[in-house]
Amino acid sequence: MGAAIEQAKKSLLEGGIPIGSALVAQEAGGELKLLAASHNQRIQKNSPILHGETATLEQAGRLKASVYRKSTIYTTLSPCDMCTGTILLYNIPRVVIGENKTFLGGEEYLKSRGVEVVVLDDFECKKLMAQFIQEHPEEWNEDIGEP
Amino acid sequence: MGAAIEQAKKSLLEGGIPIGSALVAQEAGGELKLLAASHNQRIQKNSPILHGETATLEQAGRLKASVYRKSTIYTTLSPCDMCTGTILLYNIPRVVIGENKTFLGGEEYLKSRGVEVVVLDDFECKKLMAQFIQEHPEEWNEDIGEP
């Protein structure tokens, strides 16, 4: 989660939405390997599809199905419907979420499809979002498809 | 659907997966306006998140929530979990699907969340995919997260 929070802070410094993510694979010997880490890039790249999780998968590039199926995705904020669907498409079996108080995404749907969901309720993740939303409510609403 | 099929053919010519999409908005006067059209770019851009629908939204850029909510997305193939989630995130109320025989995505979930789903069972869309899958089964499986 440290790598994901670092990405969220990086996004904030770039003037973007402070949501970060990291994809971690479990190697054959049981070792953990950071495959990619990135952050929301709506503002930075004028993109409606580069949320933290999708940007991280994009950065990891094309991976074999077997890699996703042994990986964990960390995200500082509860995954929206798009990112929920992306996790399901690639059969990522485990999602670790920084917090879901600011926004509650598709956690129940993920569980219903067999994904393990862990919520940390992290203070730093909440603080980053609270400050951003207070200062930029329009950008935040746009990011979750709200008017 | 013509614009989406044209994009699928363009992708095939580029050596990519022949799935295309188009986003059409209904203007205030009832007129229809093509906002963007694009295609799957897994192979062309080494991307696991640029399916036909997501690439089309990416090309359209940042839009107001009110625009998505009056639009229709056309796709030559039934939307996968990722694209299903993307449609739900942005509250796109209507999806027109070229065919769902090659692959059946999240149509039932879309309907359960109030999205109108129209399936055309188009011969050309099916033919494009059948030919691609016969020649490139590995790329196709990778695109839907299968080993």
Side-chain angles (χ1 to χ4, degrees), chain A residues 43-129:
Chain A
I43 293 168
Q44 295 93 318
K45 292 196 175 170
N46 189 39
S47 171
I49 64 163
L50 289 175
H51 276 191
E53 301 91 321
T54 47
T56 296
L57 263 62
E58 178 78 349
Q59 190 179 296
R62 290 169 60 186
L63 299 173
K64 288 184 181 173
S66 59
V67 176
Y68 293 115
R69 291 177 183 205
K70 284 182 186 167
S71 72
T72 294
I73 191 160
Y74 292 80
T75 174
T76 57
L77 184 64
S78 187
C80 77
D81 280 320
M82 174 175 69
C83 295
T84 293
T86 306
I87 290 161
L88 292 170
L89 168 62
Y90 290 115
N91 293 285
I92 297 173
R94 189 164 177 260
V95 184
V96 180
I97 297 168
E99 63 113 344
N100 62 9
K101 296 290 188 295
T102 302
F103 174 81
L104 178 61
E107 294 176 22
E108 286 308 315
Y109 187 51
L110 284 169
K111 288 181 201 167
S112 78
R113 298 270 305 262
V115 178
E116 183 188 350
V117 176
V118 179
V119 181
L120 303 180
D121 198 30
D122 180 88
F123 175 75
E124 195 168 16
C125 294
K126 283 189 277 191
K127 193 177 144 192
L128 280 162
M129 285 307 294

Side-chain angles (χ1 to χ4, degrees), chain A residues 42 47-48 58 62 90 142, chain B residues 42 47-48 58 62 90 142:
Chain A
R42 168 175 300 276
S47 171
E58 178 78 349
R62 290 169 60 186
Y90 290 115
E142 184 189 302
Chain B
R42 170 174 297 276
S47 172
E58 177 79 349
R62 290 169 59 184
Y90 290 115
E142 184 190 302

Side-chain angles (χ1 to χ4, degrees), chain B residues 86-105:
Chain B
T86 306
I87 290 161
L88 292 170
L89 168 63
Y90 290 115
N91 293 285
I92 297 173
R94 189 163 177 261
V95 184
V96 181
I97 297 168
E99 63 113 343
N100 62 8
K101 296 289 188 297
T102 302
F103 174 80
L104 177 62

Side-chain angles (χ1 to χ4, degrees), chain B residues 2-99:
Chain B
I5 294 176
E6 197 177 297
Q7 286 291 327
K9 289 180 182 173
K10 190 179 168 196
S11 184
L12 191 66
L13 287 174
E14 293 170 357
I17 303 175
I19 305 172
S21 178
L23 184 66
V24 175
Q26 188 161 19
E27 307 257 89
E31 282 174 55
L32 298 178
K33 184 185 175 188
L34 180 64
L35 293 174
S38 190
H39 54 74
N40 188 301
Q41 296 183 40
R42 170 174 297 276
I43 294 169
Q44 295 94 318
K45 292 196 175 170
N46 189 39
S47 172
I49 64 164
L50 290 174
H51 276 190
E53 301 90 322
T54 47
T56 295
L57 263 63
E58 177 79 349
Q59 189 178 297
R62 290 169 59 184
L63 299 173
K64 287 184 179 172
S66 59
V67 176
Y68 293 117
R69 290 177 183 206
K70 283 182 185 168
S71 71
T72 294
I73 191 159
Y74 293 80
T75 174
T76 57
L77 184 64
S78 187
C80 77
D81 281 319
M82 174 175 69
C83 295
T84 293
T86 306
I87 290 161
L88 292 170
L89 168 63
Y90 290 115
N91 293 285
I92 297 173
R94 189 163 177 261
V95 184
V96 181
I97 297 168
E99 63 113 343

Side-chain angles (χ1 to χ4, degrees), chain A residues 25-37:
Chain A
Q26 189 161 18
E27 307 257 87
E31 283 173 55
L32 299 178
K33 185 184 173 187
L34 180 66
L35 293 174

